[in-house]
Every structure is written in structure tokens, then in C-alpha cells.
Coordinates of all heavy atoms in Angstrom, one line a residue:
M1 N 17.4 12.8 -0.4 CA 16.1 13.4 -0.8 C 15.1 13.6 0.4 O 14.1 14.2 0.2 CB 15.3 12.5 -1.8 CG 16.0 12.3 -3.2 SD 16.2 13.9 -4.1 CE 17.9 14.2 -3.7
Q2 N 15.5 13.2 1.6 CA 14.7 13.4 2.8 C 14.8 14.8 3.3 O 15.7 15.1 4.1 CB 15.1 12.3 3.8 CG 15.1 10.9 3.4 CD 13.7 10.5 2.8 OE1 12.7 10.7 3.5 NE2 13.7 9.8 1.7
R3 N 13.9 15.6 2.9 CA 13.8 17.0 3.4 C 13.0 16.9 4.7 O 12.4 15.9 5.1 CB 13.1 17.9 2.4 CG 13.9 18.0 1.1 CD 13.1 18.9 0.1 NE 13.0 20.2 0.5 CZ 11.9 20.9 0.6 NH1 10.7 20.4 0.3 NH2 11.9 22.2 1.0
K4 N 13.0 18.0 5.5 CA 12.4 18.1 6.8 C 10.9 17.9 6.6 O 10.2 18.7 6.0 CB 12.6 19.5 7.4 CG 12.2 19.5 8.9 CD 12.7 20.8 9.5 CE 12.4 20.8 11.0 NZ 12.9 22.1 11.7
G5 N 10.3 16.8 7.1 CA 8.9 16.5 7.0 C 8.4 16.0 5.7 O 7.2 15.7 5.6
E6 N 9.3 15.9 4.7 CA 8.8 15.4 3.4 C 10.0 14.8 2.6 O 11.1 14.8 3.1 CB 8.2 16.5 2.6 CG 9.1 17.7 2.3 CD 8.5 18.8 1.6 OE1 7.7 18.5 0.7 OE2 8.7 20.0 1.9
S7 N 9.7 14.2 1.4 CA 10.7 13.6 0.6 C 10.6 14.1 -0.8 O 9.4 14.2 -1.3 CB 10.6 12.1 0.7 OG 11.5 11.5 -0.2
M8 N 11.7 14.3 -1.5 CA 11.6 14.6 -2.9 C 11.6 13.4 -3.8 O 11.5 13.5 -5.0 CB 12.9 15.5 -3.3 CG 12.9 16.8 -2.6 SD 14.5 17.7 -2.9 CE 14.5 17.9 -4.7
G9 N 11.9 12.2 -3.2 CA 12.0 11.0 -4.0 C 10.8 10.1 -3.8 O 9.7 10.5 -3.3
R10 N 10.9 8.8 -4.2 CA 9.8 7.8 -4.1 C 9.6 7.4 -2.7 O 8.4 7.0 -2.3 CB 10.1 6.6 -4.9 CG 10.3 6.8 -6.4 CD 10.9 5.6 -7.1 NE 10.0 4.4 -7.0 CZ 10.5 3.2 -7.1 NH1 11.7 2.9 -7.2 NH2 9.6 2.2 -7.0
F11 N 10.6 7.3 -1.9 CA 10.5 6.8 -0.5 C 10.7 7.8 0.5 O 11.5 8.8 0.4 CB 11.5 5.7 -0.4 CG 11.5 4.6 -1.4 CD1 12.5 4.4 -2.3 CD2 10.4 3.8 -1.6 CE1 12.5 3.5 -3.3 CE2 10.3 2.9 -2.6 CZ 11.4 2.7 -3.5
K12 N 10.0 7.6 1.6 CA 10.1 8.6 2.8 C 10.4 7.8 4.0 O 9.8 6.8 4.3 CB 8.7 9.3 2.9 CG 8.8 10.3 4.1 CD 7.4 11.1 4.2 CE 7.5 12.0 5.4 NZ 6.2 12.8 5.6
V13 N 11.3 8.3 4.8 CA 11.7 7.6 6.1 C 10.5 7.7 7.0 O 9.9 8.8 7.2 CB 12.9 8.3 6.7 CG1 13.2 7.8 8.1 CG2 14.2 8.1 5.8
Q14 N 10.1 6.6 7.6 CA 9.0 6.6 8.5 C 9.4 6.8 9.9 O 10.4 6.3 10.4 CB 8.3 5.2 8.4 CG 7.9 4.7 7.0 CD 6.9 5.7 6.4 OE1 5.9 6.1 7.1 NE2 7.0 6.0 5.1
N15 N 8.6 7.7 10.5 CA 8.9 8.0 12.0 C 8.2 6.9 12.8 O 7.1 6.5 12.5 CB 8.4 9.4 12.3 CG 9.2 10.5 11.7 OD1 10.3 10.2 11.2 ND2 8.7 11.6 11.6
Q16 N 8.8 6.6 13.9 CA 8.2 5.7 14.9 C 7.8 6.4 16.1 O 8.6 7.0 16.8 CB 9.2 4.6 15.2 CG 9.6 3.7 14.0 CD 10.6 2.6 14.4 OE1 11.2 2.7 15.5 NE2 10.7 1.6 13.6
D17 N 6.4 6.4 16.3 CA 5.9 7.1 17.5 C 6.2 8.5 17.6 O 6.5 9.1 18.6 CB 6.3 6.4 18.8 CG 5.9 4.9 18.9 OD1 4.8 4.6 18.4 OD2 6.7 4.1 19.4
G18 N 6.3 9.1 16.4 CA 6.5 10.6 16.3 C 8.0 10.9 16.5 O 8.4 12.1 16.4
K19 N 8.8 9.9 16.7 CA 10.2 10.2 16.9 C 11.0 9.9 15.6 O 10.7 9.0 14.8 CB 10.8 9.3 18.0 CG 10.2 9.5 19.4 CD 10.8 8.6 20.4 CE 10.2 8.9 21.8 NZ 10.8 8.0 22.8
R20 N 12.0 10.7 15.4 CA 12.8 10.5 14.2 C 13.8 9.4 14.3 O 14.4 9.2 15.4 CB 13.6 11.8 14.0 CG 14.3 11.9 12.6 CD 15.1 13.2 12.5 NE 15.9 13.2 11.4 CZ 16.8 14.2 11.1 NH1 16.9 15.2 11.9 NH2 17.5 14.2 10.0
L21 N 13.9 8.6 13.3 CA 14.8 7.4 13.3 C 16.2 7.9 13.4 O 16.6 8.9 12.8 CB 14.6 6.6 12.1 CG 13.3 5.8 12.0 CD1 13.2 5.1 10.7 CD2 13.2 4.7 13.1
L22 N 17.1 7.1 14.0 CA 18.5 7.4 14.0 C 19.0 7.1 12.6 O 18.4 6.5 11.8 CB 19.2 6.5 15.0 CG 18.9 6.8 16.5 CD1 19.6 5.8 17.4 CD2 19.2 8.3 16.9
V23 N 20.3 7.6 12.4 CA 20.9 7.5 11.0 C 20.7 6.1 10.4 O 20.2 5.9 9.3 CB 22.3 7.9 11.0 CG1 23.0 7.7 9.7 CG2 22.4 9.4 11.4
F24 N 21.2 5.1 11.2 CA 21.2 3.7 10.6 C 19.8 3.2 10.5 O 19.5 2.3 9.8 CB 22.1 2.8 11.4 CG 23.6 3.1 11.1 CD1 24.4 3.7 12.1 CD2 24.1 2.8 9.9 CE1 25.7 3.9 11.8 CE2 25.5 3.0 9.6 CZ 26.3 3.6 10.6
G25 N 18.9 3.7 11.4 CA 17.5 3.3 11.3 C 16.9 3.8 10.0 O 16.1 3.1 9.4
Q26 N 17.2 5.0 9.7 CA 16.7 5.6 8.4 C 17.3 4.8 7.2 O 16.5 4.5 6.3 CB 17.2 7.1 8.3 CG 16.6 8.0 9.3 CD 17.2 9.4 9.2 OE1 17.6 9.8 8.1 NE2 17.1 10.2 10.2
T27 N 18.5 4.4 7.3 CA 19.1 3.6 6.2 C 18.4 2.3 6.1 O 18.1 1.9 4.9 CB 20.6 3.4 6.5 OG1 21.3 4.6 6.7 CG2 21.3 2.6 5.4
K28 N 18.2 1.6 7.2 CA 17.5 0.4 7.1 C 16.1 0.5 6.6 O 15.6 -0.3 5.8 CB 17.4 -0.2 8.6 CG 16.7 -1.6 8.6 CD 16.6 -2.1 10.1 CE 15.8 -3.3 10.1 NZ 15.7 -3.8 11.6
D29 N 15.4 1.6 7.0 CA 14.1 1.8 6.5 C 14.0 2.0 5.0 O 13.2 1.5 4.3 CB 13.5 3.1 7.2 CG 12.0 3.3 7.0 OD1 11.3 2.3 6.8 OD2 11.6 4.4 6.9
I30 N 15.0 2.8 4.5 CA 15.0 3.0 3.0 C 15.4 1.7 2.3 O 14.8 1.4 1.2 CB 16.1 4.1 2.7 CG1 15.6 5.5 3.1 CG2 16.4 4.1 1.2 CD1 14.4 6.0 2.4
I31 N 16.3 0.9 2.8 CA 16.7 -0.3 2.2 C 15.5 -1.3 2.1 O 15.2 -1.9 1.0 CB 17.8 -1.0 3.0 CG1 19.1 -0.2 2.8 CG2 18.0 -2.5 2.5 CD1 20.3 -0.7 3.6
V32 N 14.7 -1.3 3.2 CA 13.5 -2.2 3.2 C 12.5 -1.7 2.2 O 11.9 -2.5 1.4 CB 12.9 -2.2 4.6 CG1 11.5 -2.9 4.6 CG2 13.8 -2.9 5.6
Q33 N 12.3 -0.4 2.1 CA 11.3 0.1 1.1 C 11.7 -0.2 -0.3 O 10.9 -0.5 -1.2 CB 11.1 1.6 1.4 CG 10.4 2.0 2.6 CD 10.2 3.5 2.8 OE1 9.5 4.1 1.9 NE2 10.7 4.1 3.8
I34 N 13.0 0.0 -0.6 CA 13.5 -0.3 -2.0 C 13.3 -1.7 -2.3 O 12.9 -2.1 -3.4 CB 15.0 0.1 -2.1 CG1 15.2 1.6 -1.9 CG2 15.6 -0.4 -3.4 CD1 16.7 2.0 -1.9
F35 N 13.7 -2.6 -1.4 CA 13.5 -4.1 -1.6 C 12.1 -4.5 -1.8 O 11.8 -5.3 -2.7 CB 14.2 -4.9 -0.5 CG 14.3 -6.3 -0.7 CD1 15.3 -6.8 -1.6 CD2 13.4 -7.2 -0.2 CE1 15.3 -8.2 -1.9 CE2 13.4 -8.6 -0.4 CZ 14.4 -9.1 -1.3
K36 N 11.2 -3.9 -1.0 CA 9.8 -4.3 -1.1 C 9.2 -3.8 -2.5 O 8.4 -4.5 -3.1 CB 9.0 -3.6 0.0 CG 9.1 -4.3 1.3 CD 8.2 -3.7 2.4 CE 8.3 -4.5 3.7 NZ 7.5 -3.8 4.8

């Protein structure tokens, strides 16, 4: 659901210092958001 610059779902991958997270960084970010 992570489209360029936005998300179609409940959770959005957070950028760090304007940089895009790597693949597994995105996965970890989503997992943390779901758990919280």
C-alpha cells in the first residue's frame, strides 16, 4: 500500500532525515507500527 509519498492503508513508512528506508527498514517500521 506504500505509494510514492503516501499510503493507501493505515500505516505509512516513515522516512529518516528525508531519506527513504531500505527494504528491511521499511518492514521493521511497518511491524513496529502494527504492534503499537
Side-chain angles (χ1 to χ4, degrees):
M1 295 299 102
Q2 305 302 311
R3 299 174 67 232
K4 192 172 183 179
E6 58 182 322
S7 173
M8 294 173 63
R10 297 168 65 203
F11 307 115
K12 181 180 178 181
V13 172
Q14 304 298 319
N15 293 341
Q16 294 181 344
D17 300 325
K19 296 181 180 179
R20 189 178 172 188
L21 290 174
L22 295 175
V23 173
F24 287 109
Q26 295 177 23
T27 303
K28 179 183 177 182
D29 191 29
I30 289 294
I31 290 174
V32 169
Q33 290 185 58
I34 292 173
F35 188 77
K36 283 183 177 179

